């Protein structure tokens, strides 16, 4: 596993720099954003954990957390609120939003590091225990296919696919890195059809490429052999 990445979002620059230094000494790859607005320009889905202040500028930590949880590409990223707001209501609200922990200022660096390690261990263990449960979701970067609910998500936005388009894309992704012959595709995706023209596959491939945006280039054609989805 690669180095775990942490994002600190807080408008107190000195505090951010101290946390960054100490977390990097623990082996983490740490970035800083001094506002939610700045953080939202980052590739948020690449982070393993976000340390988030509540009281910031126009976009508060609460608002940013809601945005993260509403986006399928960032919904599973653990969040630890670090804030001077120490009322029980604030803590309950933060935890109800899906935050994994809530640290009240002033705090010690040792306390933050211990909480970070605890959350990352818990999240890592949860991922291991739910591999079977998540096997019904096919993921290629920002392209997600939910096989149970028949949903296609492209970079956080749902894209409507016809039934055969969905099944064709699912088949290709399930066999990514390989070229599937027309016969194999027809047998798997159009097994319930009496007569299917070869042109039918071509038309559906063209539609898929246009619907899934940048990921359309991942669908490759090998003339005389068939189609595949590259790694």
């Amino acid at each position: 596993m690669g180095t775990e990445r942490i994002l600190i979002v807080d408008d107190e620059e000195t505090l951010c720099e101290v946390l960054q230094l100490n977390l990097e000494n623990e082996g983490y790859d740490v970035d800083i954003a001094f506002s939610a607005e700045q953080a939202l320009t980052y590739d948020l889905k690449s982070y393993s954990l976000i340390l988030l202040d509540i009281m910031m500028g126009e976009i508060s930590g609460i608002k940013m957390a809601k945005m993260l949880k509403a986006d399928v590409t960032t919904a599973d990223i653990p969040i630890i609120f670090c804030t001077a707001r120490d009322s029980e209501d604030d803590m309950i609200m933060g935890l109800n939003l899906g935050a994994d922990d809530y640290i009240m200022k002033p705090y010690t660096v040792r306390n933050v590091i211990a909480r970070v390690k605890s959350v990352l261990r818990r999240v890592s263990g949860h991922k291991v225990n739910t591999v079977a449960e998540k096997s019904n979701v096919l993921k290629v970067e920002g392209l997600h296919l939910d096989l149970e609910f028949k949903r296609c998500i492209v970079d956080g936005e749902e894209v409507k696919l016809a039934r055969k388009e969905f099944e064709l894309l699912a088949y290709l992704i399930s066999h990514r890195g390989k070229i599937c012959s027309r016969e194999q595709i027809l047998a798997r995706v159009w097994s319930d059809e009496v007569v299917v023209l070869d042109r039918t596959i071509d038309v559906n491939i063209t539609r898929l490429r246009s619907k899934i945006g940048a990921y359309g280039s991942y669908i490759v054609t090998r003339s005389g052999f068939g189609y595949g989805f590259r790694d």
Side-chain angles (χ1 to χ4, degrees), residues 22-152:
N22 283 273
L23 286 167
E24 286 179 342
N25 286 339
E26 294 292 324
Y28 300 110
D29 184 1
V30 183
D31 291 328
I32 293 174
F34 299 123
S35 68
E37 289 86 345
Q38 180 183 357
L40 291 169
T41 67
Y42 295 176
D43 181 17
L44 295 177
K45 64 180 178 294
S46 68
Y47 291 99
S48 308
L49 180 144
I50 296 176
L51 286 165
L52 184 59
D53 186 24
I54 288 181
M55 295 184 292
M56 293 186 288
E58 184 175 339
I59 300 179
S60 68
I62 294 293
K63 186 174 181 179
M64 180 175 171
K66 289 180 179 178
M67 295 167 70
L68 292 170
K69 295 303 180 183
D71 187 333
V72 68
T73 66
T74 56
D76 292 333
I77 299 174
I79 295 172
I80 298 179
F81 279 125
C82 298
T83 178
R85 296 178 62 167
D86 58 358
S87 74
E88 184 177 7
D89 287 343
D90 289 329
M91 182 181 298
I92 291 173
M93 178 175 60
L95 295 174
N96 284 341
L97 279 174
D100 293 80
D101 207 342
Y102 192 104
I103 307 175
M104 291 177 286
K105 297 178 180 177
Y107 47 69
T108 66
V109 172
R110 289 180 61 193
N111 183 24
V112 174
I113 291 174
R115 301 286 190 97
V116 166
K117 289 182 176 180
S118 176
V119 169
L120 288 175
R121 279 198 303 270
R122 185 165 69 245
V123 171
S124 177
H126 178 71
K127 286 180 179 178
V128 170
N129 292 332
T130 58
V131 167
E133 295 176 16
K134 292 189 177 293
S135 62
N136 62 341
V137 179
L138 298 175
K139 297 182 180 181
V140 179
E141 299 177 13
L143 173 62
H144 298 180
L145 279 188
D146 188 326
L147 303 181
E148 182 174 356
F149 291 98
K150 310 303 181 187
R151 299 173 69 226
C152 175

Side-chain angles (χ1 to χ4, degrees), residues 129-181:
N129 292 332
T130 58
V131 167
E133 295 176 16
K134 292 189 177 293
S135 62
N136 62 341
V137 179
L138 298 175
K139 297 182 180 181
V140 179
E141 299 177 13
L143 173 62
H144 298 180
L145 279 188
D146 188 326
L147 303 181
E148 182 174 356
F149 291 98
K150 310 303 181 187
R151 299 173 69 226
C152 175
I153 306 296
V154 178
D155 293 332
E157 299 291 332
E158 183 170 1
V159 174
K160 299 295 184 183
L161 298 182
R163 177 185 172 187
K164 292 303 182 183
E165 292 169 353
F166 185 93
E167 293 177 355
L168 174 57
L169 183 57
Y171 181 76
L172 293 177
I173 293 177
S174 297
H175 295 80
R176 60 181 176 269
K178 301 178 181 178
I179 296 297
C180 303
S181 69

